[in-house]
Amino acid sequence: MFGYRVPAPDEAMLISGGRRGLGGAPFRVVTGHGKFVLPVFRKVRFLTLSMCESEVVETCVTKQGIALHVRAVIAFKVGNDTESIINAGQRFLSDQDQMSVLTGRIFAGHLRAIIGSMTVEEIVTERQKLAAEVLDTSKTEMAKIGLIVDSLQIQSIDDGDTGYIDAMSAPHKAAIRRQAQIAQAQANQAAAQAEQEAARKQAEYARQTAVVKAEYSAEVDRAQARAAQAGPLAQAHARQEVLDAQTELAQRQARLRQQELVAEIVKPAEAEAERVRVLAAAEAQRMKIQAEAAASYDRVALDRMLIDQLPLIVKEAAGGLSGANVNVLNGADGLGEIAAGLVAQGLTILDSVRQNLNGHGDRHPSGDARPEGEGRPALRGPSTPRPGTEGEEPGEGTSDGERPDPGAH
């Protein structure tokens, strides 16, 4: 529409003519909307609000007296508030490029002042501190001309031919170089180890492959050998089974024949030997009994004969005393003692006779000498007459089944 003006988003429209602006400014400020402007009577100008850049290249002397060539870049713009726009419009509206020149000069002065209070080491190692101090010192001055600084970047610091920065960085360079060499050596070692591990794995894989191939080949050879030997082995096994069966049959026949021989020969022979042994034992027992019976009969007959002769022996001894001059001192007792003495003498004589007979005639019918009393009863003599038994014959008073024992005196 005729007479209606609208500023761009990054511009401020300044309208001069007519009434004054804020704070007695010679123009009114319009941003973000349009406005009717009377032609001829009003004049419209536009001030940029976009970002501007200024580069500073300055030689500064440090606190140590070392000259440093510093290169910095400043990003700035006109402030968005009306006061900043008025301040900047009054100074740069006719030549807005002067904003970059003036800003560079302002920051160059502040940069020289701040670097002059710092050492090279501080400047190199604390660039952010340097930029912050420059911004702080220039903020008030920049605000007076309506400008605000968004950032300050120290791009480079060079000491020229002095070599101070290089000397200062030499230990670090050496350490970095050493670390680089160590890292390179470690990398080389790791690469060598990796290569060796790869070679070892490759060799191991080749070995395993060769082993597997050899095992497969050996398995194939064994299978082929088993296939080739299957027929002969089967025939040999069959013959072995036949031989085993024949051997078992022969062993069974041998055991059966052995049993038959035992039943036919050994058992009858054992039975016959047992029969002969029993018969021989019975015959020996019979002969023994007969011999003992014969010996017993002979002794009994001898004893009977001696007993029968005993009274005669005593009688003869008494006859010998009839002509003797014997004085009997004790009467009947004395006579009894004499009779007892006669009987004792007769028994002694009888015992002597029996011993003589035993020494010559006590033989077993088989021809072997037998000890006295074995197989026959012992001779028994008449008992010694007791007092008051005068007139009794020796041997009387005993039953027929008892014999006096000649050794009982």
Side-chain angles (χ1 to χ4, degrees), residues 138 141 184 222 291 299 332 352 372 405:
S138 63
E141 189 173 354
Q184 184 64 36
R222 286 195 295 270
R299 292 296 302 273
S352 298
E372 181 180 356
D405 189 357

Side-chain angles (χ1 to χ4, degrees), residues 2 5 9 19 68 134 171 189 236 277 288 312 363:
F2 181 76
R5 306 295 296 271
R19 61 187 181 88
L68 297 178
V134 172
Q189 183 179 2
R277 187 186 64 78
K288 178 180 179 182
L312 181 59
R363 308 292 292 181

Side-chain angles (χ1 to χ4, degrees), residues 206-221:
R207 185 187 68 80
Q208 293 178 355
T209 303
V211 170
V212 172
K213 288 182 178 179
E215 290 178 352
Y216 287 162
S217 179
E219 185 66 24
V220 171
D221 293 341

